[in-house]
Amino acid sequence: MAYRLPAATTMQMTSDDFLAWDSGDGSRYELIDGQTVVMESASEGHQIVACNLYVAMRQHLHGAPCRAILSLEVRCDDGNCLVPDVMVYCDKDKRPRGMEACPLIVEVLSRSSARDDRTRKFARYRRLAALREYLVVDWEQRATEVHRLAIDGSWQVTRYAGGEVVYLASIDLALPGDVIFADLEAAA
């Protein structure tokens, strides 16, 4: 999802302030370096892929200590709360928002957000001690990238195209590209 700073946004917040805040305007926000940022609406194709991933992960994790969830805040640090398209979290405290124990985060790209999702957002997500994989999905190109934390602390990327099987080691799931990109033909 793309970032667009609202004209009236001047207040500085901490992550804790943000998680307790209600804008009252019906918009969805992220906290970026202490500033609230409006989230733009996603396209139908973007939503189809996010839902496909969520359903597959939720079914796979049924009965496991971790859960898959759509569009909920992740507290990266004291000034950044992001909202990934899908995440897997293993929070024993069962907090309602501001998850931190996330071994897997998924961003489905939009034209307006692709650069930020691959760079700035990924840099913020890497602040999460529990993060092991970051899945980036380009629904228009039918391509995926899995960024995986290596033993030496570096991030290794594996790219997949179309119907290839994407392996997510953090949750031990082999996910066919045909499942990820199912039903896109119907999207406008």
Side-chain angles (χ1 to χ4, degrees):
M1 302 205 174
Y3 302 130
R4 179 174 50 88
L5 283 174
T9 298
T10 56
M11 65 181 148
Q12 191 76 13
M13 286 189 188
T14 67
S15 291
D16 291 338
D17 294 337
F18 176 77
L19 292 168
W21 175 65
D22 180 1
S23 70
D25 65 7
S27 295
R28 300 223 33 207
Y29 291 86
E30 289 182 308
L31 185 69
I32 308 293
D33 297 331
Q35 294 288 312
T36 56
V37 178
V38 174
M39 295 177 64
E40 293 182 7
S41 296
S43 68
E44 181 182 8
H46 180 122
Q47 292 291 64
I48 287 170
V49 168
C51 287
N52 290 345
L53 289 161
Y54 165 72
V55 167
M57 290 176 190
R58 183 165 172 83
Q59 289 173 343
H60 175 72
L61 293 169
H62 181 74
C66 298
R67 301 172 200 252
I69 196 158
L70 288 164
S71 301
L72 192 63
E73 295 90 349
V74 171
R75 185 185 187 284
C76 298
D77 57 33
D78 195 45
N80 291 280
C81 287
L82 305 178
V83 181
D85 292 301
V86 182
M87 71 170 139
V88 171
Y89 73 98
C90 307
D91 191 347
K92 294 179 178 126
D93 294 334
K94 306 254 190 288
R95 59 180 91 189
R97 300 171 62 199
M99 306 318 194
E100 295 176 356
C102 305
L104 173 61
I105 294 204
V106 180
E107 288 289 354
V108 179
L109 301 180
S110 297
R111 286 183 191 144
S112 60
S113 71
R115 178 177 282 208
D116 275 340
D117 287 347
R118 284 190 167 111
T119 58
R120 288 182 266 201
K121 264 190 146 177
F122 184 35
R124 288 176 178 96
Y125 286 135
R126 287 193 308 258
R127 297 173 187 169
L128 295 166
L131 187 65
R132 297 296 171 260
E133 288 180 309
Y134 181 58
L135 175 62
V136 177
V137 182
D138 185 333
W139 68 271
E140 292 180 296
Q141 298 298 316
R142 309 286 201 282
T144 59
E145 301 170 3
V146 176
H147 298 259
R148 186 172 294 123
L149 184 61
I151 293 171
D152 67 2
S154 66
W155 286 87
Q156 308 297 317
V157 64
T158 305
R159 292 178 174 81
Y160 302 88
E164 289 184 301
V165 175
V166 175
Y167 180 66
L168 300 170
S170 60
I171 59 172
D172 192 26
L173 174 62
L175 194 54
D178 295 341
V179 170
I180 296 170
F181 301 113
D183 300 324
L184 276 177
E185 295 73 29

